[in-house]
Amino acid sequence: MSERHSLDDLLTLMSVLRDADQGCPWDLKQDWDSIVPHTLEEAYEVADAIERRAFDELPGELGDLLFQVVYYSQFGHEEGRFDFHDVVHVLTAKMLRRHPHVFPDGTLSSRRDGERAAEVETRQVHSRWEALKAEERAERARHDAKAVSVLDDVPRSLPALSRAAKLSKRAARVGFDWPDHRGVLAKIREELDEVEEALAEGDHEHAGEEVGDLLFAVVNLARTLKTDPEQRLRGTNAKFERRFRHVESALAAEGKAPGQTALEDMETHWQDAKAREKQGEMPS
């Protein structure tokens, strides 16, 4: 077996790829903005591999995601802003600061005495974590002339469902929330009524806006149920794809195609797919 490559090897590789004389023409053309779409794509591919339990693919997907961090670090190094070692230092220092229940002295060598991890109150840890993040936001605000909001640092580049979940969660922490899930369900019904009203008036633009409000209300329901809407929608996407592929296969066996088949026939095969799933006859 050949010698395994190290993190230093990866940093060297990145440096050579960006070398003006010996590097790769494609890599040399990249900049901060051009890499962002690749970063988002790689993050989703990691999530997809995990959800499919494709652990044999995961080292490669995680490597692709790590490479994005190395890429940005190289840009920072070239511009004299920071390098990969700064990224590691800032991350480690932040995690030490946010885990006083694990590193009581704030140093990597310090350890908690007497209390095992299973005995640490989860809610207390979460509360402490959020308090520390609030302190960090306040500290940043002291160096920023703009007004401080609890919604600060929720990334605008997040997928809309994920960002909606984070925004509503932040607002809920300061009391801007319904007492329980019944209030959210009432809001969903209210928003759906407004969609129907706009459609009845023939105002499709307004109906589209109300659909956005409806989606946001549904995200709030997911939050109250303590489930991730982005993950749940990915699961539903996979379920829809699985069932529709079954419809296509069943029709093909009959010498038909979806675009040339009555909806009633497609619905029959769709219901068959659902029944097969319940009986465990279709892969999940």
Side-chain angles (χ1 to χ4, degrees), residues 3-284:
E3 183 179 350
R4 295 172 68 87
H5 290 297
S6 68
L7 182 55
D8 285 339
D9 292 334
L10 179 58
L11 296 176
T12 298
L13 181 146
M14 183 75 257
S15 178
V16 174
L17 287 176
R18 293 279 295 176
D19 183 88
D21 295 322
Q22 302 295 320
C24 169
W26 187 88
D27 290 287
L28 286 167
K29 291 178 182 177
Q30 304 313 307
D31 57 27
W32 297 99
D33 298 312
S34 68
I35 292 298
V36 169
H38 299 282
T39 307
L40 297 173
E41 180 180 339
E42 300 301 352
Y44 275 110
E45 289 183 0
V46 167
D48 177 65
I50 292 172
E51 290 173 356
R52 291 187 290 108
R53 294 298 186 263
F55 295 116
D56 57 327
E57 300 175 17
L58 201 50
E61 299 297 353
L62 287 169
D64 291 343
L65 185 57
L66 173 60
F67 194 64
Q68 301 302 301
V69 178
V70 172
Y71 230 127
Y72 294 121
S73 299
Q74 180 65 27
F75 293 152
H77 174 67
E78 292 170 2
E79 297 176 9
R81 300 176 185 274
F82 62 89
D83 62 15
F84 184 81
H85 302 291
D86 293 316
V87 173
V88 172
H89 171 74
V90 170
L91 173 60
T92 304
K94 179 169 65 177
M95 291 298 106
L96 287 171
R97 186 170 62 251
R98 290 185 177 180
H99 291 81
H101 53 288
V102 178
F103 307 102
D105 295 341
T107 63
L108 199 56
S109 59
S110 63
R111 296 292 185 274
R112 179 181 61 243
D113 287 330
E115 203 174 22
R116 296 178 60 83
E119 298 169 345
V120 178
E121 175 61 47
T122 303
R123 184 173 299 177
Q124 182 183 8
V125 170
H126 181 74
S127 175
R128 190 179 300 154
W129 176 277
E130 294 303 331
L132 288 166
K133 289 203 291 185
E135 289 176 10
E136 291 171 5
R137 286 196 294 271
E139 179 62 27
R140 285 198 298 272
R142 281 193 281 272
H143 302 286
D144 193 336
K146 293 187 293 184
V148 183
S149 168
V150 295
L151 306 181
D152 285 347
D153 70 23
V154 177
R156 294 183 179 276
S157 59
L158 282 174
L161 276 179
S162 294
R163 189 161 194 268
K166 284 187 173 290
L167 289 171
S168 64
K169 187 176 181 180
R170 288 283 183 87
R173 285 182 194 147
V174 294
F176 193 72
D177 197 11
W178 292 273
D180 55 39
H181 70 275
R182 287 172 293 189
V184 191
L185 288 171
K187 184 64 175 176
I188 290 173
R189 295 187 185 100
E190 175 190 326
E191 298 298 353
L192 184 56
D193 288 343
E194 291 180 359
V195 171
E196 292 181 340
E197 182 180 328
L199 288 173
E201 294 172 353
D203 191 342
H204 285 240
E205 177 63 28
H206 186 208
E209 293 176 8
E210 295 298 345
V211 167
D213 293 346
L214 176 61
L215 286 170
F216 195 86
V218 172
V219 167
N220 271 284
L221 179 60
R223 175 179 56 79
T224 62
L225 297 176
K226 294 181 169 49
T227 190
D228 178 60
E230 187 78 25
Q231 187 175 34
R232 290 299 182 183
L233 185 56
R234 285 201 300 270
T236 297
N237 289 343
K239 181 167 58 179
F240 177 87
E241 182 178 5
R242 189 168 59 244
R243 292 175 181 176
F244 192 77
R245 286 180 184 276
H246 172 81
V247 171
E248 290 178 313
S249 297
L251 289 175
E254 299 171 356
K256 302 176 183 177
Q260 304 162 349
T261 306
L263 177 59
E264 292 77 9
D265 292 339
M266 290 191 284
E267 178 64 21
T268 297
H269 292 305
W270 179 271
Q271 293 300 327
D272 178 57
K274 290 177 65 174
R276 287 171 178 268
E277 282 181 343
K278 289 182 179 179
Q279 296 167 9
E281 297 176 7
M282 287 180 64
S284 59

